[in-house]
Amino acid sequence: MKSFSHRLTLHIVIALTVVLVTIIAGTTYLASRFTGPLIEAYFEHLADIENESIEKMLHDVQVAVHNSIDEVAEDMSQPDSVFAALTSKLQLNPQGILGFGVGFVPNYYPEKGVWFEPYAMWLDGRIFTIQNGSAEHDYFTHEWYVEGKKHDEGYWSNGYYFEMGGERVLICTYAKPFYDETGRMAGVYAGDLSLDMLHDYLLSKDLKANTEGLIKVPHKLEGNPRQWVRSVIVDKKGYFISHPDKGRILRDNFYKGIGQKTDTIADRVVSEMMAGKKGSAELVVDGEPSTVFYSPLEKTGWSLVVILPKMRYYIVVFGACILLSLCLLTGLLAVYIICRVTIRRSTRPLQILASSADEVAKGNFYAPLPDIRHQDEIGLLRDSFGNMQHSLRQYIEELKTTTARKTAIESELSIARDIQNSMIPCDFPHLEGLEMYGSMTPAKEVGGDLYEFFVRDNYLYFCIGDVAGKGVPAALVMTNTCGAFHLLAESESEPIRIVSRMNDMLSRDNSMTIFVTFFAGVLDLNTGHLRYCNAGHIAPIVDGNPLPVESNLPIGAIPDWNYTTQEADIAPGSTIFLYTDGLDEAENAECQRFGKKRILEVMQTASQQPRPLIERMTQAVGEFVGDTEQSDDLTMLAIQWKKKSSDL
């Protein structure tokens, strides 16, 4: 005789089989109807992503040309100076730009003759300059020059081959008219983009689509290029300027390939692509029925085309149906096993309850309990165990949540400290006549002290600051202050302008009323002349004496405050020592402060070289406070200026 659990399991599985077979049949039909549109939507989205990426590459070239053309125009007093200007601008664009060049109008520089085309290009990680123009290389007839002169807003040429380092490189050019300081057209300014970069990008997308995406198929089909999903770019006349088969680039024409026979759909596709429209259509491409998705690259007049062969489409549809059926059958098998085990356990409630009690005693609070439908003594005992499990689980989950939150907060603060430390410069310049060293020790995981410096045009721009408050809010303000100083000092040379603009930036929407004591200085590395502006910060020490400073208000306190610039001459060999109040206000166990007197005493006995000075000051304050917990951020910066050997 069969057991009750076996008979009950068999009845349930038979009922489920009937239901699932019906579901499989209906689902297979629906999958065949709706998988197709899903795949088409996927590849239409893929085409949009590729389009946006290529548009960005083209936009980056345009921005680089627009940003550099005026600066190159300012440095063309001599023909040879153009090479240096082009090289300088190309160094700022190590990626994306193959080269910058200028095609001057005939005889613009009489000494250079009719053709003068200075060009700077990247080759093997280095920049080379050449003069391309000649009777053999008559750029006056090239598309980029002819059309570039006509388009003040800029013009993208079609693709063409360019001799570079003994190799032919496929490129396209973005060109703009080039004017001298008198407003006279001097020629055409051009930035070149390697089409190999577009080719490699599309090839990587195609490889991913053919091996990882929705249309992954058996390897036996991957050897036929006509059955690959592939992305191509066609120019304004329909010629390929990017194709998986490089032999077809600039040789085969997409428009002619799909319009060999009378086909109104092909004619419509060609018309829409030439008009810069977006769409999709069913076409025969390279002899293979396919769905094509096309969209314009508006900056150039080109079109991006993604070709989806129908063979892959059908494989995906049928594969999806088979996969769905296998999943449902697997689910049916799982249901059978679960029912069999569950029903058998339901016939042995006492044994399972005893086993569950042992598991709970071992700490497994998720041990299964028997499903008792009758409210007898066993049912009451099962309910008691259930309540106990629930209470224990809830307690453990709450304990895990509390522990996880605490761990997450500690981890985030540790990461924040690492990020903040990475923002404080630790690589000090090694220049003749200049030595620097600095350190920052926050009182908490993150702090509000800062220092920043960099050298520009043989001037040292430096600052030190202390944000009112501690912890995360002060660290955020410190980050903004560092970024603002570095950004403004890149273009401003006067410390009063830098501090005033930083004050305006920090005062805006300062709902938390957080301010920053700040000192900014500009040191002439040739003469030792120092221009500085103080905003409520402690006066730096030079040669054992505080530097005369006007107190002013901290930045961020009141907008539009009138700050003042002060000046001083630094003697050769003198050291400028800057610090925050975490140094002189450091307290020991008796609540005594380190104080300015001790700072001056240390400076009188310590070496005046920046690093030994700061290390000695750190040691002195450490010995003074002992084991007392640090109460404030401690930041120091030392700058020693000496005359260069060439000036002696």
Side-chain angles (χ1 to χ4, degrees):
M1 294 181 61
K2 295 182 179 180
S3 67
F4 171 74
S5 62
H6 177 77
R7 285 186 286 113
L8 184 57
T9 302
L10 187 61
H11 290 318
I12 293 175
V13 170
I14 291 174
L16 287 176
T17 301
V18 174
V19 173
L20 288 179
V21 167
T22 304
I23 293 176
I24 290 173
T27 304
T28 302
Y29 171 76
L30 293 176
S32 63
R33 291 290 303 274
F34 296 112
T35 304
L38 177 63
I39 295 174
E40 292 184 1
Y42 169 80
F43 280 96
E44 185 174 4
H45 178 64
L46 176 64
D48 290 340
I49 293 176
E50 293 180 356
N51 184 288
E52 291 178 5
S53 299
I54 296 174
E55 287 278 19
K56 184 180 183 302
M57 296 179 191
L58 299 172
H59 176 72
D60 290 344
V61 176
Q62 292 185 201
V63 169
V65 170
H66 284 273
N67 287 344
S68 60
I69 187 169
D70 291 337
E71 298 184 27
V72 174
E74 293 175 357
D75 198 6
M76 51 185 287
S77 57
Q78 298 293 330
D80 292 338
S81 65
V82 179
F83 289 98
L86 292 174
T87 300
S88 175
K89 296 298 108 183
L90 190 58
Q91 286 175 339
L92 301 177
N93 297 273
Q95 296 181 346
I97 303 295
L98 183 64
F100 283 134
V102 182
F104 284 92
V105 298
N107 295 310
Y108 184 82
Y109 294 105
E111 65 271 25
K112 292 297 184 179
V114 178
W115 297 276
F116 183 53
E117 184 188 2
Y119 185 70
M121 60 183 175
W122 285 106
L123 184 62
D124 298 329
R126 299 173 58 191
I127 296 178
F128 293 87
T129 58
I130 57 174
Q131 204 288 98
N132 273 337
S134 65
E136 292 75 19
H137 183 76
D138 185 7
Y139 60 85
F140 300 136
T141 63
H142 291 184
E143 178 195 4
W144 65 268
Y145 182 86
V146 174
E147 296 297 329
K149 291 176 61 177
K150 303 175 184 178
H151 295 80
D152 282 334
E153 71 282 1
Y155 176 80
W156 276 104
S157 73
N158 288 319
Y160 62 94
Y161 284 101
F162 176 68
E163 291 290 339
M164 184 174 180
E167 299 182 359
R168 297 181 71 205
V169 181
L170 184 62
I171 67 172
C172 63
T173 300
Y174 180 71
K176 280 178 60 66
F178 186 64
Y179 299 93
D180 60 21
E181 60 184 6
T182 66
R184 179 168 64 101
M185 179 180 289
V188 176
Y189 188 83
D192 293 335
L193 172 68
S194 171
L195 293 180
D196 287 337
M197 183 171 62
L198 299 183
H199 175 271
D200 294 341
Y201 169 75
L202 293 178
L203 202 61
S204 66
K205 290 294 184 182
D206 292 345
L207 179 63
K208 185 174 182 180
N210 283 283
T211 59
E212 300 179 13
L214 289 174
I215 46 82
K216 182 179 179 181
V217 297
H219 292 287
K220 63 182 180 181
L221 293 180
E222 294 178 3
N224 185 356
R226 293 186 176 183
Q227 294 177 348
W228 294 351
V229 173
R230 53 200 185 275
S231 303
V232 301
I233 299 177
V234 299
D235 65 14
K236 304 160 189 175
K237 297 180 181 180
Y239 287 97
F240 293 112
I241 60 175
S242 179
H243 192 283
D245 182 1
K246 282 193 172 183
R248 302 184 64 177
I249 295 176
L250 297 184
R251 294 181 181 177
D252 293 349
N253 191 294
F254 178 74
Y255 295 160
K256 294 180 180 179
I258 63 174
Q260 295 177 352
K261 300 180 180 179
T262 302
D263 190 339
T264 56
I265 297 179
D267 293 340
R268 174 180 63 81
V269 170
V270 173
S271 299
E272 290 185 352
M273 289 177 64
M274 295 180 68
K277 295 183 178 179
K278 176 182 178 181
S280 61
E282 305 288 334
L283 296 172
V284 177
V285 181
D286 296 334
E288 189 77 25
S290 306
T291 301
V292 298
F293 305 89
Y294 51 92
S295 58
L297 298 170
E298 297 179 353
K299 298 182 184 299
T300 61
W302 306 337
S303 293
L304 171 69
V305 184
V306 176
I307 303 170
L308 171 62
K310 283 292 185 181
M311 177 61 70
R312 292 249 165 146
Y313 169 87
Y314 293 134
I315 290 175
V316 172
V317 172
F318 294 134
C321 294
I322 294 173
L323 180 62
L324 182 60
S325 298
L326 290 176
C327 290
L328 291 175
L329 290 174
T330 302
L332 178 62
L333 178 61
V335 168
Y336 170 79
I337 295 173
I338 292 172
C339 289
R340 174 68 173 166
V341 172
T342 302
I343 293 174
R344 288 186 62 185
R345 286 184 176 178
S346 66
T347 61
R348 300 193 305 271
L350 292 176
Q351 180 181 351
I352 297 175
L353 185 59
S355 176
S356 299
D358 290 338
E359 290 295 320
V360 171
K362 295 176 183 178
N364 180 11
F365 305 124
Y366 290 87
L369 298 176
D371 186 9
I372 308 295
R373 295 172 181 253
H374 303 287
Q375 292 297 321
D376 52 15
E377 290 80 2
I378 298 177
L380 293 175
L381 184 59
R382 188 267 179 206
D383 292 340
S384 298
F385 269 98
N387 292 334
M388 180 184 67
Q389 280 184 306
H390 178 74
S391 298
L392 290 173
R393 284 199 301 265
Q394 186 175 4
Y395 173 76
I396 294 300
E397 290 300 325
E398 290 175 355
L399 184 60
K400 288 181 179 179
T401 301
T402 301
T403 304
R405 287 177 180 174
K406 182 178 179 182
T407 302
I409 292 173
E410 293 174 352
S411 175
E412 290 173 358
L413 287 175
S414 176
I415 294 172
R417 180 171 186 170
D418 292 340
I419 294 173
Q420 185 183 35
N421 288 339
S422 68
M423 296 182 64
I424 297 299
C426 58
D427 292 327
F428 300 95
H430 298 284
L431 300 175
E432 184 181 4
L434 175 67
E435 289 189 29
M436 293 185 64
Y437 189 73
S439 69
M440 187 191 79
T441 307
K444 296 186 176 181
E445 287 77 5
V446 291
D449 279 7
L450 64 106
Y451 69 83
E452 180 63 276
F453 60 83
F454 68 97
V455 177
R456 176 168 66 86
D457 299 331
N458 215 32
Y459 285 85
L460 173 65
Y461 294 78
F462 63 94
C463 72
I464 190 168
D466 184 1
V467 181
K470 303 179 185 65
V472 174
L476 294 175
V477 176
M478 169 266 182
T479 303
N480 288 337
T481 305
C482 279
F485 174 79
H486 205 287
L487 177 65
L488 292 173
E490 287 285 351
S491 57
E492 295 286 355
S493 298
E494 293 297 326
I496 185 174
R497 291 278 301 157
I498 296 172
V499 174
S500 297
R501 293 186 62 184
M502 290 180 65
N503 179 56
D504 293 339
M505 294 171 65
L506 293 178
S507 298
R508 190 183 310 125
D509 299 329
N510 190 2
S511 58
M512 298 182 65
T513 317
I514 294 179
F515 57 86
V516 184
T517 64
F518 194 75
F519 180 92
V522 179
L523 178 63
D524 188 336
L525 299 181
N526 289 325
T527 65
H529 185 67
L530 173 66
R531 289 175 289 120
Y532 57 93
C533 179
N534 187 51
H537 197 74
I538 304 170
I541 298 174
V542 179
D543 292 333
N545 296 304
L547 189 69
V549 297
E550 296 184 11
S551 58
N552 288 314
L553 286 182
I555 59 176
I558 297 178
D560 300 324
W561 180 263
N562 293 323
Y563 291 94
T564 56
T565 297
Q566 296 176 262
E567 300 183 13
D569 288 315
I570 305 302
S574 295
T575 299
I576 306 171
F577 179 70
L578 305 99
Y579 60 96
T580 61
D581 58 7
L583 177 60
D584 63 331
E585 295 181 1
E587 294 184 350
N588 59 16
E590 290 74 30
C591 296
Q592 296 175 334
R593 293 189 174 185
F594 189 70
K596 294 182 179 179
K597 181 179 179 181
R598 289 186 176 86
I599 295 175
L600 295 175
E601 290 175 353
V602 173
M603 291 196 65
Q604 291 173 357
T605 59
S607 169
Q608 293 305 298
Q609 292 184 335
R611 182 162 187 166
L613 173 60
I614 289 181
E615 289 177 347
R616 178 66 188 97
M617 192 68 72
T618 303
Q619 178 185 6
V621 74
E623 293 172 352
F624 175 78
V625 300
D627 296 332
T628 305
E629 182 179 358
Q630 183 179 343
S631 61
D632 198 1
D633 304 332
L634 174 58
T635 300
M636 294 176 285
L637 178 65
I639 304 167
Q640 186 179 48
W641 176 77
K642 304 176 182 178
K643 282 192 175 182
K644 300 179 181 177
S645 58
S646 59
D647 297 333
L648 298 176

